[in-house]
Amino acid sequence: MSPEAAPAPYDNVRSLHGDLAPLAGSTPPQDLEAEQSVLGAMLLTPQAITDVIGTTDPGDFYRPAHETIHRAICDLYDRGQSADPITVADHLGKRGDLGRVGGASYLHTLVQAVPTAANAEYYAEIVREKAERRRLIEAGTRLVQAASAPDTDAEELRATVLRQITELTARPTEPSDDDAAPSGPPNPLYDRRPGLHRPHRPGPTPHPDVFCGWLGDTVRELDPTTEADPIAVLANLLSAAGAVIGRRPHLMIGNDRHPTLIWALTIGPTSSGRKGSATSTARRVLAEALPDFFGPEHTPRGLNSGEGLIEYVKDDDSDDASHASIDKRLWVLESEYAVTMSRGRREGSSLPGVLRQAWDGDSLGSMVRDSLKATDPHIAILGHITPEEFRAKMQDSEMAGGTYNRFLPIFCHRNLILPGSRGASPELVANLASGWRTVLEDAARVDEVKFSPGAWELYCDQVYPALSDDSAGGVIAQFTARAAPYVQRVAMVYALCDHTDTISETHMRATWQLLNYARASAVHLLGDTTGDPKVNKLAEAVRAAGPDGLTADRIRRLFKNTTRAERDRLAAELLDLPGYSRHQKPTGGRPTTVLTYAG
């Protein structure tokens, strides 16, 4: 198996990998056969893609054509689409890259070149090892050049050497960029390990503290049986449990009575979000526990109008009935929440106003029909929406209305690849349902929920100040404006699901991390929406640049008619947003400064 000649259009762009040949005639470390075998295996089987993306980065390929093909395969894979020579050729063709990588015929050559797809991870390790050697040579070359310059300060040179050594020793396990967002502590529900096929995750990952107590135990038990995101399953359980528990348990926040109502939006791509799987996974257990609740009477779909919602829980007008005689608990499931959002924006729609009253737990009434009212309803809502729909619908006029900041935005993505899964076993479902039946029945008998001293101290000293900080401004601040009261609501449900009427420090930490994840989800999904069109434009360009980052020269070309001071201002405002960072990127000569996004 001998590697094919490099595609001609890439002959003059090897400088992308830096100046790796300081001595005439020397060849940088590389293994084009291994690179071809990696890509050929990825084109043959999704399992090879899973193995490779955990071992190599696109920049590890020596031949730029191979880097481009690798990115194209990963793009299709992340969208839940097949990645074979036909689909990858189509994808590259739409981007204008097919000719530059050698055409469709070269993709078929890659498939024919791989000895066996089962060894994809081994081939990828070879590619990574060669890339590390090239980086070492590049770093050494830069140090030699710096030490040879007569005007180089010796102390600065020593600092440079130490920095280079630190970066290179850190590179094999984690990115060396100090400004990059931390990956967080180990999380068994998301970490890669032998025997598990996890797809690449394009967004934030929740902190393991969110999976605490009985809720966390349930998620862990169900996780091996579903491709759904554990955080989405948790959100469904929290929302549904709060609906089932009812109005009696509550917290007093100031002079406001807060019920156990958790509204969540699970936001993920149609193909790879697995939003519906998360709901069906949680619902299967809870419906086994309380079948009378999880029927159409208590779990309706299709929010058309405010009057329609009130109709479900309206008071009985008969002379011998009281409003308390009707069970007014609802868990409203909206699988197409973008449609609901559109209905709410119609002129004269009563839906936003009724939703705001419902989240507060207030009695509902209609200005159109005086006789239509609902006293003491208890309505939780869980919606599904795609990132594209979410961004399109989240306009400033909607945010100002205060309806959508009552939802916790939860980014979700397929977490496992289980082509032959049949779901949880009947025995597992029955065991979990038995526990949930007791949990929910006991929780419904609690009155006011209290805080332990440690939980209250944590809330007052750390959680409340952090969640009340609205210095970020813009859409993100508006969307998370109710984080401070929401953290108490969620902590209450955590506690009630652990058979206690007292919120512990563990419950508070779990809730704090869940709210942090909701904010990270909003940043990941709405991070390009700041209220400043120029900052939005810069944010979009940085995100599109990927891990390579956006250079100052590209920023200059992006804003041709602006001064350097204005470009610096835009960069500074962007860097104030979570997930964006600035760092030095090595080149063949002088390092260049790039802006990157690590949401």
Side-chain angles (χ1 to χ4, degrees):
M1 177 179 64
S2 59
E4 214 177 66
Y10 276 121
D11 284 348
N12 298 321
V13 293
R14 279 177 52 182
S15 58
L16 284 173
H17 297 281
D19 182 8
L20 301 179
L23 299 177
S26 63
T27 301
Q30 58 183 288
D31 192 324
L32 298 184
E33 289 184 274
E35 292 188 10
Q36 287 185 319
S37 297
V38 166
L39 298 175
M42 295 174 78
L43 290 168
L44 282 171
T45 168
Q47 177 57 53
I49 301 176
T50 304
D51 294 339
V52 169
I53 60 178
T55 303
T56 61
D57 293 321
D60 289 342
F61 290 88
Y62 177 72
R63 181 177 289 180
H66 293 167
E67 178 179 347
T68 301
I69 295 169
H70 181 276
R71 291 187 187 278
I73 294 172
C74 291
D75 284 346
L76 291 172
Y77 183 70
D78 290 341
R79 297 176 188 178
Q81 301 174 11
S82 61
D84 55 44
I86 304 299
T87 57
V88 173
D90 179 68
H91 186 64
L92 289 169
K94 291 177 180 178
R95 293 167 44 178
D97 289 332
L98 183 58
R100 289 195 288 270
V101 303
S105 62
Y106 186 63
L107 299 178
H108 290 281
T109 298
L110 293 175
V111 171
Q112 296 167 4
V114 58
T116 170
N119 289 340
E121 189 170 6
Y122 172 72
Y123 305 144
E125 289 174 353
I126 296 175
V127 172
R128 184 182 64 178
E129 188 268 339
K130 298 297 183 183
E132 289 298 328
R133 289 180 178 273
R134 292 197 301 272
R135 294 185 183 109
L136 287 168
I137 293 172
E138 184 180 356
T141 301
R142 289 198 304 271
L143 292 175
V144 169
Q145 292 172 344
S148 301
D151 57 346
T152 301
D153 181 80
E155 290 301 323
E156 291 183 3
L157 181 60
R158 291 190 187 94
T160 301
V161 172
L162 289 174
R163 185 173 64 254
Q164 290 286 331
I165 292 173
T166 300
E167 290 178 355
L168 291 169
T169 54
R171 188 184 300 273
T173 54
E174 293 292 338
S176 61
D177 182 8
D178 293 337
D179 294 327
S183 59
N187 190 340
L189 288 172
Y190 291 91
D191 293 342
R192 297 179 181 275
R193 62 179 186 270
L196 289 181
H197 300 158
R198 297 202 191 279
H200 170 67
R201 187 177 184 84
T205 301
H207 193 284
D209 283 357
V210 303
F211 302 105
C212 80
W214 174 241
L215 282 158
D217 289 343
T218 301
V219 174
R220 278 187 287 273
E221 289 288 336
L222 293 171
D223 182 58
T225 73
T226 176
E227 293 187 338
D229 196 327
I231 194 67
V233 176
L234 177 71
N236 275 269
L237 289 171
L238 280 165
S239 181
V244 173
I245 288 170
R247 288 184 60 84
R248 183 173 177 179
H250 67 280
L251 277 168
M252 293 302 299
I253 303 178
N255 292 313
D256 296 321
R257 183 185 189 277
H258 280 254
T260 59
L261 293 177
I262 310 299
W263 291 13
L265 278 180
T266 52
I267 310 169
T270 300
S271 59
S272 59
R274 296 300 191 267
K275 303 180 291 294
S277 296
T279 296
S280 59
T281 298
R283 182 177 178 138
R284 184 181 174 195
V285 171
L286 296 180
E288 177 85 5
L290 297 169
D292 291 341
F293 181 88
F294 288 91
E297 183 177 351
H298 291 288
T299 58
R301 299 171 184 264
L303 287 172
N304 291 304
S305 65
E307 290 77 19
L309 180 59
I310 299 173
E311 190 75 32
Y312 271 102
V313 288
K314 67 179 181 179
D315 295 343
D316 189 339
D317 293 332
S318 60
D319 295 334
D320 59 346
S322 67
H323 67 263
S325 64
I326 301 175
D327 189 344
K328 300 182 180 182
R329 298 173 299 161
L330 293 182
W331 188 43
V332 182
L333 298 174
E334 288 296 303
S335 59
E336 298 291 342
Y337 201 75
V339 177
T340 303
M341 296 169 79
S342 297
R343 291 169 181 157
R345 295 192 70 240
R346 294 172 182 166
E347 184 176 354
S349 174
S350 61
L351 185 57
V354 172
L355 288 178
R356 289 193 288 272
Q357 295 173 9
W359 186 86
D360 293 334
D362 295 339
S363 296
L364 308 180
S366 170
M367 297 180 66
V368 178
R369 292 171 53 188
D370 293 338
S371 61
L372 190 60
K373 60 182 180 179
T375 309
D376 296 336
H378 188 74
I379 303 170
I381 301 176
L382 188 132
H384 301 166
I385 193 169
T386 68
E388 294 77 17
E389 292 170 334
F390 183 68
R391 295 188 191 101
K393 299 296 182 182
M394 282 295 127
Q395 300 177 11
D396 289 346
S397 60
E398 294 176 303
M399 299 303 299
T403 300
Y404 300 114
N405 62 19
R406 286 167 167 79
F407 286 87
L408 292 178
I410 303 295
F411 170 77
C412 58
H413 192 271
R414 179 173 58 176
N415 191 51
L416 285 172
I417 299 176
L418 302 172
S421 175
R422 296 293 182 268
S425 67
E427 294 78 14
L428 174 59
V429 173
N431 288 337
L432 290 173
S434 176
W436 272 103
R437 189 177 304 112
T438 303
V439 163
L440 296 173
E441 290 174 352
D442 290 350
R445 290 190 282 268
V446 174
D447 288 306
E448 184 173 356
V449 175
K450 306 178 289 293
F451 285 83
S452 72
W456 186 246
E457 181 180 0
L458 176 62
Y459 175 76
C460 293
D461 293 349
Q462 299 183 47
V463 179
Y464 184 78
L467 296 178
S468 300
D469 182 11
D470 58 357
S471 59
V475 174
I476 300 301
Q478 292 183 53
F479 200 86
T480 56
R482 298 183 185 275
Y486 233 137
V487 77
Q488 296 194 41
R489 282 194 183 195
V490 177
M492 173 169 53
V493 177
Y494 267 111
L496 290 170
C497 288
D498 278 352
H499 280 286
T500 177
D501 62 356
T502 303
I503 297 171
S504 69
E505 188 174 345
T506 299
H507 300 139
M508 183 54 62
R509 290 193 182 280
T511 307
W512 187 9
Q513 293 298 345
L514 180 62
L515 268 292
N516 283 338
Y517 181 78
R519 188 176 193 282
S521 295
V523 170
H524 174 67
L525 297 160
L526 298 173
D528 56 353
T529 306
T530 66
D532 185 329
K534 289 184 178 179
V535 178
N536 294 347
K537 183 178 180 180
L538 179 59
E540 183 178 355
V542 171
R543 290 162 73 104
D548 292 336
L550 197 69
T551 64
D553 183 62
R554 290 176 63 187
I555 295 173
R556 179 185 59 79
R557 283 182 281 163
L558 193 65
F559 299 99
K560 295 179 181 178
N561 299 320
T562 58
T563 64
R564 180 175 179 178
E566 173 68 2
R567 295 196 297 272
D568 289 344
R569 180 191 70 80
L570 296 174
E573 291 193 14
L574 183 68
L575 291 170
D576 284 338
L577 298 175
Y580 294 93
S581 61
R582 176 166 49 197
H583 64 273
Q584 294 290 311
K585 179 180 178 181
T587 66
R590 191 176 190 179
T592 185
T593 300
V594 295
L595 299 179
T596 60
Y597 177 72

